[in-house]
Amino acid sequence: MASRDKVGCPAATLPLDRLLATLAANAEQLGKRWEIAVRDRRARAAERRMEADTAPPVQLHTPLFYATCALGGVLSTGLTHLAVTPLDLVKCNMQVDPSKYRDISSGFGVLLQEQGLGGFFKGWMATLVGYSSQGACKFGFYEYFKKCYSDIAGPENADRLKTVIYLAASASAEVIADLALCPMEAVKVRIQTQPGFARCLTDGLPKLVRSEGAFGLYKGIVPLWGRQIPYTMMKFACFETIVEMVYKHAVPKPKDQCSKPLQLAVSFAGGYIAGVLCAAVSHPADNLVSFLNNAKGATVADAITTIGLWGLFTRGLPLRIIMVGTLTGAQWATYDAFKVFVGLPTTGGVSSSCHAATTFHRVDHEKQN
């Protein structure tokens, strides 16, 4: 019996040794897998934190993005137009009464003599409210329509047709923006060119509505579209093209490697050049708007007969070139400075091209699938 026990012991303990060895090996493998899983999870968490740190606070082409662009348009357009109110005041009076306001210097002299320093900011409230509303619609809807038309064209055609997309997007945005601007523009011109009409927007708007009705506020909408739509198409398409050419030919490194001050300087230069072209293209319609809003019951034919074709293209043009060039350059610089402040890229160049918009759309579509 003892011999059988001694002989049977190794046979009984051998499977137990194998079992323990197998369990030890499995435990070791499980520990290694657990270590790898923990390391991978930590790596993914670090990547997510890095992406969160580098991602812009405002995601492109979202409702918040368009609202942010609209707010940038309020600041850039409303404040810059308010700053150049004295120039706008002299320009409007030169267009309406050229015999009294013969040129820039005499125009400022007459206003200073008759109304004092305070007279240079007549109509400031209508200017601020009107152009702030217009800027919100112009910049916000421009970004929306640019993305929309880029998606319609598709990634294969969007970059090739980018100039057409810029023109179409800016024209669409301006149609909406002018509906917000037109009533304030009508009040502003009356206050600036008709002494004694009203002190500011609060009494000028009700007075204009009482005299001409609510539709009288939109009497100049067609000439306003005629002035603003070509102006805005030139403003946005030229700006985008000029900025892209500057980064391509004049700046020795890609846009995303340039400092923010350099990018803002490019925005101002591109905006100023685009503004000069805008002024020349839209000036005849600007003369019509000033004439129609000043003369009750006047028509476009009356304006052309009174001003003449040559005067329609040249009256007040030098001052408007100075005003619009400076205004447009300052608008783009202010708008892009605000975008930089909230963490968005500046406008124009490679990062905000139509190709980038379609690339975003394609990547978003792939993520959803």
Side-chain angles (χ1 to χ4, degrees), residues 37-87:
V38 171
R39 187 168 59 245
D40 290 345
R41 180 175 296 180
R42 289 176 178 174
R44 287 194 297 269
E47 290 177 359
R48 285 194 295 268
R49 285 195 299 269
M50 186 177 298
E51 290 175 357
D53 292 338
T54 57
V58 180
Q59 296 297 321
L60 297 178
H61 309 122
T62 60
L64 180 59
F65 168 73
Y66 298 127
T68 303
C69 293
L71 180 56
V74 170
L75 297 175
S76 63
T77 308
L79 295 179
T80 51
H81 273 275
L82 178 63
V84 297
T85 297
L87 287 174

Side-chain angles (χ1 to χ4, degrees), residues 258-269:
C258 296
S259 65
K260 295 303 181 185
L262 176 58
Q263 293 185 34
L264 294 178
V266 171
S267 295
F268 177 80

Side-chain angles (χ1 to χ4, degrees), residues 22-38:
T22 302
L23 290 175
N26 290 338
E28 184 179 1
Q29 292 180 2
L30 183 63
K32 290 180 179 179
R33 291 177 181 175
W34 179 262
E35 182 180 358
I36 292 172
V38 171

Side-chain angles (χ1 to χ4, degrees), residues 4-226:
R4 283 198 301 269
D5 291 340
K6 291 180 180 179
V7 173
C9 284
T13 58
L14 186 59
L16 182 59
D17 293 340
R18 291 175 181 170
L19 179 61
L20 293 175
T22 302
L23 290 175
N26 290 338
E28 184 179 1
Q29 292 180 2
L30 183 63
K32 290 180 179 179
R33 291 177 181 175
W34 179 262
E35 182 180 358
I36 292 172
V38 171
R39 187 168 59 245
D40 290 345
R41 180 175 296 180
R42 289 176 178 174
R44 287 194 297 269
E47 290 177 359
R48 285 194 295 268
R49 285 195 299 269
M50 186 177 298
E51 290 175 357
D53 292 338
T54 57
V58 180
Q59 296 297 321
L60 297 178
H61 309 122
T62 60
L64 180 59
F65 168 73
Y66 298 127
T68 303
C69 293
L71 180 56
V74 170
L75 297 175
S76 63
T77 308
L79 295 179
T80 51
H81 273 275
L82 178 63
V84 297
T85 297
L87 287 174
D88 185 48
L89 183 63
V90 173
K91 174 189 69 70
C92 288
N93 281 283
M94 287 175 63
Q95 292 170 333
V96 171
D97 192 358
S99 60
K100 182 176 181 180
Y101 301 89
R102 297 185 303 275
D103 51 38
I104 299 173
S105 59
S106 67
F108 276 103
V110 170
L111 283 174
L112 181 62
Q113 182 180 1
E114 293 184 350
Q115 303 181 32
L117 290 175
F120 286 112
F121 279 89
K122 287 179 61 177
W124 69 269
M125 187 182 295
T127 297
L128 180 61
V129 174
Y131 283 96
S132 294
S133 304
Q134 186 212 35
C137 297
K138 179 185 294 188
F139 284 90
F141 279 108
Y142 171 72
E143 297 289 354
Y144 171 78
F145 284 120
K146 183 168 69 170
K147 172 68 165 58
C148 181
Y149 295 154
S150 297
D151 290 345
I152 292 173
E156 299 81 8
N157 300 316
D159 195 58
R160 180 172 57 86
L161 300 174
K162 58 188 175 184
T163 302
V164 176
I165 292 173
Y166 297 149
L167 293 170
S170 56
S172 301
E174 189 60 37
V175 169
I176 300 172
D178 286 345
L179 294 175
L181 171 64
C182 192
M184 300 298 105
E185 182 76 0
V187 176
K188 176 185 75 73
V189 171
R190 291 290 182 91
I191 294 173
Q192 291 179 340
T193 59
Q194 294 184 6
F197 173 75
R199 291 179 292 103
C200 61
L201 175 64
T202 55
D203 60 333
L205 181 61
K207 187 173 182 179
L208 186 57
V209 171
R210 285 195 301 269
S211 62
E212 299 191 23
F215 289 105
L217 297 173
Y218 285 92
K219 183 176 66 174
I221 186 63
V222 174
L224 187 63
W225 277 332

Side-chain angles (χ1 to χ4, degrees), residues 220-270:
I221 186 63
V222 174
L224 187 63
W225 277 332
R227 180 188 78 183
Q228 289 297 129
I229 291 176
Y231 164 83
T232 302
M233 292 171 70
M234 186 72 69
K235 173 181 178 178
F236 282 88
C238 287
F239 174 81
E240 297 262 18
T241 303
I242 291 167
V243 168
E244 185 176 344
M245 291 176 63
V246 168
Y247 283 117
K248 186 175 181 181
H249 301 291
V251 178
K253 52 187 176 181
K255 175 185 173 181
D256 55 1
Q257 298 179 15
C258 296
S259 65
K260 295 303 181 185
L262 176 58
Q263 293 185 34
L264 294 178
V266 171
S267 295
F268 177 80

